[in-house]
Amino acid sequence: MTMDHHNASHNHSRRDFRRYATASVAGVSMAAGMPASATAAATTAAIPPDRLKFMEEASRLAMESVEKGWGGPFGAVVVKDGEIIGRGQNRVLLTGVPVYHAEVTAIIDASQRLNPKALLGAGTEEGTLLERIPRPPGSPDLVEQRAKMLAGCEIYVNAAPCPMCMSAIYWARIDRLFFAASLEDTSSIGFSDAFQYEDFALAWEDRKGIKATPNFGRELGLEPYRAWMAQSDPHYY
């Protein structure tokens, strides 16, 4: 979808979305006993200044993608113990694959480097990304253990992640996200990431970006679920 298609009809919902985001930040700040502005300042002050070099590399990768015609102006790096272990950039125009976004390719690169074997048949033993670790104290996680994936890592992106990439960051169990340009900045150059976030907040039948038919053949879909739960020790990730 293009921004021209969405701008006229969704300005109101975007305003609502921004108000919601602002209220959420303020609510967290008030719960902590400090104003939102003070929370932002405290968070920024807590970041060591040498971290900027990681954002510089993410932006360099984004620039390379633009200059070589590989994809959109997006780059990302995954960092562990102060070292870059994964690099990624948007390569949608190079590959014709719509999911080749910077964060996704950076996560794949980091996973390949951290796993002692190839991605296929990487194993689940200690030292692999599939090694299981207990859920943190107070976590709302539904299960007691999951694969550690990229726990202990950070990701730096030159722009706020789109919903797909934000989900990939969650699934990778990355500890912390740093991003530079905002969703509004990204919308201003023609990418509809903000619209997708807004659309996801709607009920299935109200989605504007895609027509969805929920519960179609539900029993068929549940059969693999039952097979998963029938395992003696499902390996959650």
Side-chain angles (χ1 to χ4, degrees):
M1 292 192 176
T2 64
M3 290 305 298
D4 287 338
H5 178 76
H6 296 306
N7 277 342
S9 59
H10 300 304
N11 281 341
H12 178 71
S13 62
R14 291 188 180 204
R15 286 194 297 270
D16 290 344
F17 174 78
R18 289 166 189 160
R19 282 197 295 269
Y20 172 79
T22 301
S24 297
V25 172
V28 171
S29 303
M30 290 175 65
M34 58 196 307
S37 58
T39 303
T43 301
T44 303
I47 301 173
D50 64 345
R51 300 281 184 89
L52 190 61
K53 65 186 178 185
F54 301 131
M55 190 60 73
E56 290 172 349
E57 177 63 5
S59 294
R60 184 195 69 79
L61 289 164
M63 185 66 75
E64 181 181 45
S65 183
V66 172
E67 292 175 346
K68 294 188 176 181
W70 289 347
F74 310 107
V77 296
V78 176
V79 174
K80 182 177 177 63
D81 299 329
E83 299 292 334
I84 294 176
I85 60 165
R87 288 176 168 84
Q89 57 201 155
N90 189 290
R91 294 193 172 188
V92 172
L93 297 180
L94 177 66
T95 64
V97 179
V99 299
Y100 267 38
H101 287 201
E103 298 92 329
V104 171
T105 54
I107 288 170
I108 292 173
D109 188 36
S111 300
Q112 289 175 323
R113 293 174 186 273
L114 288 184
N115 267 323
K117 303 176 184 178
L119 284 181
L120 295 179
T124 60
E125 65 271 14
E126 184 177 353
T128 69
L129 296 191
L130 294 178
E131 172 191 355
R132 285 186 283 198
I133 59 175
R135 62 188 173 199
S139 169
D141 201 335
L142 299 175
V143 296
E144 294 182 358
Q145 291 185 326
R146 287 190 189 274
K148 71 176 183 180
M149 298 303 184
L150 296 178
C153 296
E154 301 170 342
I155 189 167
Y156 296 76
V157 194
N158 74 302
C162 73
M164 177 186 73
C165 292
M166 193 68 246
S167 182
I169 292 168
Y170 274 99
W171 280 110
R173 305 194 68 188
I174 289 172
D175 288 5
R176 188 166 184 176
L177 161 68
F178 296 83
F179 66 86
S182 67
L183 289 172
E184 289 80 6
D185 294 329
T186 305
S187 293
S188 73
I189 62 168
F191 292 89
S192 55
D193 297 15
F195 164 76
Q196 294 171 22
Y197 277 107
E198 294 157 9
D199 214 35
F200 284 3
L202 302 176
W204 286 112
E205 60 271 18
D206 296 329
R207 301 282 174 98
K208 299 175 176 63
I210 189 170
K211 291 183 178 179
T213 305
N215 299 315
F216 177 73
R218 182 170 181 267
E219 282 303 311
L220 291 172
L222 290 176
E223 289 178 7
Y225 282 36
R226 298 186 186 105
W228 172 267
M229 294 306 297
Q231 297 178 101
S232 59
D233 186 23
H235 198 105
Y236 287 98
Y237 53 86

